[in-house]
Amino acid sequence: MNDHLYFCHGRGEIISPLEAFNFMRKFHYVFFLLAIFESVNAQTNVSLFTGRNEGEHIFETGNKYANLSGIRGGSRITYPRNFNYLGLELSRISNKFLLSGKVSSTGGYVQAGEARDEDFFLRANSTESGTKIATREWSFHDSAYVFTGTQNFADGKGRSVVSEYKFEPTVRYYAGDASPDLWKSSNGFFFSFGLKYSYFKYYIYDVIQFVATNPITYSPIGKGLSYSNAVVEIPFGFGYKVSKDKLTLELSFDLLWGIDKFRDLHYWRALNFKGYSGGPGFQYKADFFYKALEDTIVKFSHSGHRLFQTGNFTTSGGNSFSDVLSNYAGKYSHYLNTKEVAFELSVIRNISQTK
């Protein structure tokens, strides 16, 4: 976005939907699970839902110790995750198993909030909290930010739009007296395993940039950057279901591991980033069900999602000497963290013959 970022990525290509689909095909084995759920007494449900997402997706890179240029500093780009979406979910119940497939999308580019691109100095007392989930100390640092105690020397803010689609197949097994059938009252634990694939792309525009030059630069620069990301996550966990009369509550918690491939282009600098990331995370969810009619249930959901990743990126292009020089400096390390919550309202319909 601004003209003073140290590092950037790739060749500037944008991940196309076809490329994203080919990336997803590596996980086609999931669909073979459908055969397991073909049963005479199976139940099929269909759900339409609308949701609201709130949060942030943050890219950071930097060094607390002086590099070859003698500078201790870094860069941070904050992508807002504030948007509405629509979706469809199909589920199949057979005995103790529930197989569901969930698809959601923004339906095109929608406003996502204010994006920010910062370049900063790092001081001796600046902190780098790269480890969010520390298993040795049994600690958790719930923040999408890594570097704190920084001083910006360049700061760009602009409007952003995002287009996103997501696919989530999940398998659940209900243990003991618990049943996956929402039309039957039951209490007990369930265990889940799934796959979550999402692809999203941002455009940042109407950027106003500050740079600590002499005199200070503060001016509009127009287009900032474009950013696309394909993410695969594998969640596994457990939950508990409790029912009373027409009401049902399901609480669940999943640990997950995610990998992603991203590309972005900084228009002002003609500089591109290309990188890969991987790391742990978790998600939690509370589902409230109300049996409105004999074959219709209304559901309200609240969920939280965290993904803390590290990886490497390379750069290409650039219109300054330092940017072009970065193309030959190998790989740079980075952090890519996501912190978000979502709220959904669903209408579930039993479309099978058996209730």
Side-chain angles (χ1 to χ4, degrees):
M1 206 184 298
N2 56 59
D3 197 29
H4 291 267
L5 283 175
Y6 301 111
F7 315 113
C8 290
H9 10 243
R11 295 173 298 163
E13 311 126 74
I14 300 303
I15 300 176
S16 67
L18 178 60
E19 183 180 359
F21 175 74
N22 290 333
F23 186 53
M24 176 62 183
R25 286 180 59 191
K26 298 177 183 179
F27 303 91
H28 66 276
Y29 64 84
V30 174
F31 298 100
F32 287 106
L33 292 173
L34 288 169
I36 301 176
F37 295 87
E38 288 302 321
S39 170
V40 175
N41 297 319
Q43 178 188 121
T44 302
N45 300 321
V46 60
S47 172
L48 295 175
F49 61 89
T50 180
R52 174 67 181 178
N53 199 87
E54 296 280 345
E56 52 197 6
H57 175 81
I58 299 176
F59 169 90
E60 287 182 276
T61 184
N63 50 283
K64 282 193 65 175
Y65 302 98
N67 56 21
L68 294 178
S69 62
I71 296 176
R72 296 183 299 179
S75 300
R76 177 190 300 116
I77 307 175
T78 302
Y79 300 94
R81 300 277 298 158
N82 310 321
F83 52 83
N84 300 323
Y85 58 90
L86 297 171
L88 171 70
E89 182 173 10
L90 293 173
S91 63
R92 184 79 167 171
I93 296 172
S94 181
N95 299 319
K96 290 285 192 176
F97 287 93
L98 169 67
L99 174 66
S100 63
K102 185 176 180 181
V103 179
S104 62
S105 174
T106 58
Y109 286 97
V110 296
Q111 293 290 331
E114 184 180 75
R116 188 175 184 182
D117 185 353
E118 305 168 77
D119 292 333
F120 49 79
F121 294 118
L122 287 166
R123 303 182 182 280
N125 59 350
S126 300
T127 60
E128 180 178 353
S129 301
T131 302
K132 303 299 184 179
I133 303 175
T135 55
R136 187 177 63 181
E137 295 83 5
W138 289 94
S139 64
F140 170 54
H141 183 56
D142 188 19
S143 173
Y145 292 93
V146 173
F147 295 100
T148 56
T150 61
Q151 179 182 348
N152 285 2
F153 65 84
D155 197 341
K157 297 180 180 181
R159 301 171 64 186
S160 70
V161 292
V162 63
S163 174
E164 174 172 296
Y165 59 83
K166 186 181 299 182
F167 174 58
E168 303 175 68
T170 304
V171 179
R172 280 185 178 180
Y173 173 75
Y174 286 73
D177 295 331
S179 169
D181 190 345
L182 294 173
W183 277 264
K184 296 179 181 178
S185 295
S186 65
N187 301 330
F189 286 94
F190 58 84
F191 302 91
S192 62
F193 176 80
L195 176 71
K196 181 163 63 174
Y197 169 80
S198 60
Y199 167 82
F200 55 85
K201 181 178 176 181
Y202 281 86
Y203 284 107
I204 315 300
Y205 62 101
D206 286 351
V207 176
I208 303 295
Q209 179 179 260
F210 156 81
V211 183
T213 54
N214 188 14
I216 290 176
T217 300
Y218 185 77
S219 61
I221 64 171
K223 291 193 299 183
L225 57 87
S226 64
Y227 173 77
S228 56
N229 197 356
V231 189
V232 174
E233 300 173 49
I234 302 176
F236 55 95
F238 67 97
Y240 190 81
K241 173 185 178 182
V242 58
S243 303
K244 183 174 179 61
D245 299 328
K246 293 185 177 183
L247 298 176
T248 297
L249 170 64
E250 287 188 346
L251 302 174
S252 63
F253 180 83
D254 294 294
L255 296 174
L256 56 88
W257 185 268
I259 57 174
D260 77 2
K261 175 183 179 181
F262 67 85
R263 298 176 183 175
D264 99 39
L265 165 64
H266 289 247
Y267 292 105
W268 192 248
R269 303 167 64 192
L271 188 59
N272 307 284
F273 292 48
K274 177 181 179 181
Y276 296 86
S277 308
F282 65 87
Q283 59 187 19
Y284 60 86
K285 192 173 186 181
D287 293 322
F288 301 89
F289 303 87
Y290 175 72
K291 185 179 177 182
L293 300 171
E294 183 180 354
D295 58 358
T296 304
I297 287 177
V298 177
K299 180 179 75 170
F300 174 76
S301 302
H302 167 66
S303 60
H305 175 236
R306 308 286 190 272
L307 186 58
F308 306 114
Q309 300 177 289
T310 59
N312 296 286
F313 67 90
T314 57
T315 74
S316 67
N319 55 19
S320 70
F321 176 78
S322 60
D323 285 344
V324 174
L325 188 62
S326 71
N327 299 176
Y328 305 96
K331 296 181 178 180
Y332 300 99
S333 62
H334 71 271
Y335 299 94
L336 195 63
N337 296 327
T338 301
K339 179 180 179 180
E340 57 191 351
V341 297
F343 304 90
E344 290 181 7
L345 180 63
S346 310
V347 177
I348 306 171
R349 187 74 181 268
N350 185 342
I351 60 174
S352 58
Q353 298 297 320
T354 303
K355 298 185 177 63

